[in-house]
Amino acid sequence: EAQVTQNPRYLITVTGKKLTVTCSQNMNHEYMSWYRQDPGLGLRQIYYSMNVEVTDKGDVPEGYKVSRKEKRNFPLILESPSPNQTSLYFCASSLSLLAASYEQYFGPGTRLTVT
Amino acid sequence: DQQVKQNSPSLSVQEGRISILNCDYTNSMFDYFLWYKKYPAEGPTFLISISSIKDKNEDGRFTVFLNKSAKHLSLHIVPSQPGDSAVYFCAASERNTGNQFYFGTGTSLTVIP
């Protein structure tokens, strides 16, 4: 089954404790991206990757890191989480931004709470 | 600063009637627009898209209209069904020069049986 998977689905952590949210897709997609969803703010793009070893900042990259060592994986790293990073996070992938079909496939989301 | 806006947080419609969801954008360089649907506890799923070279795109019960001069797009669902009850997000991108996507804040649609 074609899908984007995220782990963990739920995470409660404390300020300053480094964490990684994993994202994996099995569709051989080139483009991957991370978003956060907050009430009243919709979905905001954190980072995106056009392909392996190519990453770039989205709208709200502060406090986050990403890496793209393999095509299928795009982990989101919070080196020192703070309470304002409490949010619902989505990973997404797309075949290619050069493709006629431009839509992204989203994972199920990771609910992160930083206390 | 929100470049894509959905000014109606919620909308209720009777089953069988038309649902119209609206979206405005500020960046005139956006040239590709998408609508996503999101159920609770799930990720958004793609619904329909439109390129700026068109002003209308249809897919079954879903039609998206684009008014470039007004920087406005709308999603029409006809006829509305209870299963359409979800949050709808519009998104925009400047396809030629950028790889970023900008989403609106979402509109929660409730279709009343």
Side-chain angles (χ1 to χ4, degrees):
Chain A
E1 181 190 352
Q3 59 183 351
V4 178
T5 56
Q6 295 178 227
N7 282 294
R9 294 290 311 276
Y10 302 91
L11 180 59
I12 300 174
T13 190
V14 296
T15 299
K17 185 176 181 182
K18 181 179 178 180
L19 66 93
T20 300
V21 183
T22 64
C23 172
S24 183
Q25 50 91 6
N26 62 1
M27 296 169 279
N28 201 35
H29 283 175
E30 290 184 355
Y31 183 90
M32 296 187 75
S33 183
W34 276 102
Y35 296 87
R36 60 178 288 174
Q37 183 187 0
D38 301 289
L41 296 174
L43 286 156
R44 293 179 294 167
Q45 196 167 25
I46 302 170
Y47 269 94
Y48 59 92
S49 169
M50 293 292 289
N51 213 323
V52 176
E53 301 293 357
V54 180
T55 62
D56 214 336
K57 297 177 181 178
D59 237 11
V60 287
E62 295 80 19
Y64 304 95
K65 284 175 58 177
V66 292
S67 68
R68 189 91 182 272
K69 294 186 171 64
E70 309 163 279
K71 200 171 187 178
R72 64 181 294 128
N73 296 323
F74 191 45
L76 180 69
I77 303 154
L78 285 73
E79 295 266 3
S80 183
S82 61
N84 65 11
Q85 292 178 297
T86 292
S87 186
L88 178 58
Y89 291 86
F90 290 102
C91 180
S93 72
S94 178
L95 180 61
S96 167
L97 290 195
L98 299 177
S101 180
Y102 202 43
E103 72 264 23
Q104 293 177 74
Y105 295 78
F106 282 81
T110 295
R111 173 76 65 182
L112 173 65
T113 302
V114 184
T115 60
Chain B
D1 187 32
Q2 198 85 21
Q3 297 193 54
V4 177
K5 299 177 184 179
Q6 294 175 257
N7 292 319
S8 297
S10 62
L11 174 68
S12 290
V13 170
Q14 289 286 338
E15 180 178 3
R17 305 294 292 268
I18 185 172
S19 295
I20 300 177
L21 294 90
N22 293 304
C23 180
D24 297 293
Y25 60 95
T26 58
N27 187 343
S28 59
M29 299 303 292
F30 287 150
D31 56 6
Y32 203 84
F33 305 88
L34 310 95
W35 284 94
Y36 287 84
K37 175 179 176 179
K38 185 183 179 305
Y39 292 118
E42 294 183 11
T45 55
F46 171 74
L47 200 54
I48 193 170
S49 61
I50 187 167
S51 164
S52 60
I53 62 173
K54 294 185 175 182
D55 53 19
K56 177 182 173 181
N57 189 27
E58 280 182 88
D59 185 0
R61 297 186 296 113
F62 303 91
T63 302
V64 56
F65 295 92
L66 176 62
N67 182 335
K68 291 185 287 293
S69 61
K71 298 194 188 70
H72 176 84
L73 64 155
S74 60
L75 175 68
H76 291 210
I77 307 173
V78 182
S80 300
Q81 300 173 354
D84 296 329
S85 297
V87 177
Y88 290 78
F89 291 97
C90 65
S93 180
E94 189 183 337
R95 191 167 180 175
N96 289 333
T97 61
N99 307 305
Q100 282 188 248
F101 289 85
Y102 298 89
F103 281 75
T105 51
T107 296
S108 178
L109 173 66
T110 301
V111 180
I112 303 162

